[in-house]
Structures are given as C-alpha cells and as structure tokens.
Amino acid sequence: MNKKGNPFFWQDFISVGQLSFPKIKYIFSLADRMSAAVENGQARRDLKNKTVAILFYQPSTRTFSSFLSAALWLGCRRVIAIPGMQAYSSAVKGESLADTIRSIEQTTATNIIILRHPQDSSSEIAAANARVPIINAGSGKKEHPTQALLDLYTIQRELGQLKKLRVAMVGDLKYGRTVKSLAQLLTLADPQVHIDLVAPAALQMPDNLVMRLRRQGAQVKKYAKIEDVITKADVLYMTRIQREWFEKEGQMGLYNRLKGFYVLNRPLMRKAKKKMIVMHPLPRVNEIAPEVDRDPRAAYFRQMRSGLYIRMALLAAALTPSPLAS
Ligand code: NCD
C-alpha cells in the first residue's frame, strides 16, 4: 500500500482543515485525469469492486448527482444512494445519527459513506461511529469541503492561477457553508489572498473565522455593496440568502427584508474586469439575473462540472492506494 504517495487513502474527508497545498495539488492532478477520462467518454475501473453509500438528509441537486455519477464513472456497480434520509430513514422514529451510520455500514457492507446533514458536527459523529471513511458532502452551516475543492479547481481552470487574487464573496456569509470552507482553502493556496466580504451586517461572516483568516495572512475586508468590490474582483462568488436557517430560527421577517438585497445584473457586470469570473455554488434564487448567464465570465455552470471531476478524484483517492498510477 503506497500510503505515502496518496494522503487520502482510507481517510475521512470531513474538513478543509485536513488539507495542505500539496494535498490540494494531489487532488487537482487526479481531477485532471478524471476530466480527460470523462471528456473522452472512457469510464475508469478504480471502484470496480467497491461499494459506495450516499446518505443525504438535506435537499441537493448537484452534490448528490455528481457523487452518484462520480462513483459510476469510476466503475462502481454497487451504489446505495438515499436522498431524503430526513423523511424516509428511521431518523423519523428518533434513531440517532450514530446508529443510522452503524446500520448502513452493516446492511450494505459499504466501503465509504458520503454524508450530507444539517448538523454542524454530523461528519465528526459519523466518523466516530463508522469503520469506513466518511466524506462530508455538507455539514450544517459549517463546512462543505468537497465544494470548496471544486470551487478552487474551477478558479485554477478558469483563471490559470491561484496566487495574487482578489476574491469577493457576496450574500449570506453567516449561514452559507461554502464560503466558509472556500475562504480557508484560498488562504492555503495563497496566504496573502485578498478576500472582500460583501454582506448586510446581519449576514456577515462570523468574527472568529474572519480573525483566523487574518491571522493566516489573508487581507480580509468587509463591504455592504457589490458596487464597492466589483471593479477589482478577479472572482465574484455569489451566494443565496439561506431561507431554511431563518425559518428554523424564527427570523422570517429578517429574511423577507434581506432576500432581494443583492442582484447581479448586466449593468453591474459592465463595471467588472474583462478577465474575471462569476461563481455561485447554486442553487440561485434571484441573486444572479438570468441575463448574466450569456456573459462569458459567468462560470457557475462550468463550475458544476468541476464537481464531477473533484468527487471522482476524492473517491478514487479514498478507496485505492495509488490512483495516479492508473
Ligand atoms: C450549497 C450547499 O448545500 O451548501 N449547495 C451546493 O452544495 N452546491 C449552497 C446552498 O445551498 O446555497
């Protein structure tokens, strides 16, 4: 087993805190191989004799379909993919997450569990109770590490570099998990990265994270309007206002006041640099006007394809000792 060459082999992947720049580069080079295979229509065989379980307790379009597709593109023939766990599993009867994880492991003989769950600590709980690796496909308001990797990979592919960038993050930076994970990855790629945080005061990124980013060397500034950042941004990362968390916390009045706060449209895009990209983890609600979709700088649809390649890379790395050799 060449564990040295592949730092992801048989490991949980639950937080961006587990990554380093060399580890990111390792996944990116694997993702390049995956991209070539998919673009040439050549399915791989990495997961030929493996079993993959995908358990989602929150809605998903892209993360669910790309993990499922990633397993199949890697030749996996036993995929147990269960969306709607919150409604259809014994969670409804009061079963704990720990017991559900143990149960799925026993009933499926899976080699890995991919988990999306509304609780911040869900992946840690799963990892403590599973013998197989856990991949975090979104945990509460805290982390979305596979999304952050695919976002960074998109930036690399679109702009050809990860250094000296000015990245503006816009929208719900309080509840959104993708921006929190991406901000941390950006500082791993370039400790001096400029991160402009654009949010109403009530939805700004939590102070402890902002302080951590600054301690790592990042130049982090807070703004209220897209106009304040758009002329300088290399990456404009839009996010939706996360209705479900306002609902949970009885804050629908606040949601209704904030929901149309930011809308990226053509007049705003006219102020942006020629070489820049607009990203969004999606789903969008109304924060990017459809007229922007035709702008070549709109990278959010291409961004989704990076998700397939990155998730293929992560699955192959977790379940085979030397995926780069094949
Ligand atoms: C995001 C998520 O689930 O955190 N979606 C995704 O995985 N692409 C963003 C969101 O729901 O707003």
Side-chain angles (χ1 to χ4, degrees), residues 2-16 18-28 30 112 133-135 145-146 149 185 310 313-323:
N2 181 10
K3 211 174 156 190
K4 236 172 158 187
N6 171 9
F8 292 86
F9 183 58
W10 204 247
Q11 299 295 308
D12 299 312
F13 181 46
I14 59 185
S15 167
V16 286
Q18 294 169 254
L19 294 173
S20 60
F21 197 52
K23 284 187 183 178
I24 295 170
K25 292 305 259 187
Y26 180 82
I27 287 297
F28 284 8
L30 206 41
I112 194 161
I134 299 291
I135 295 189
T146 69
L149 273 178
L185 268 203
I310 286 291
L314 286 167
L315 284 176
L319 293 179
T320 61
S322 11

Side-chain angles (χ1 to χ4, degrees), residues 62-63 116 144 147 177-178 240 242 281-283:
R62 284 148 290 277
T63 312
R116 166 171 289 200
H144 199 342
Q147 177 75 39
R177 53 194 172 197
T178 66
R240 87 187 154 93
Q242 308 238 318
L282 301 176

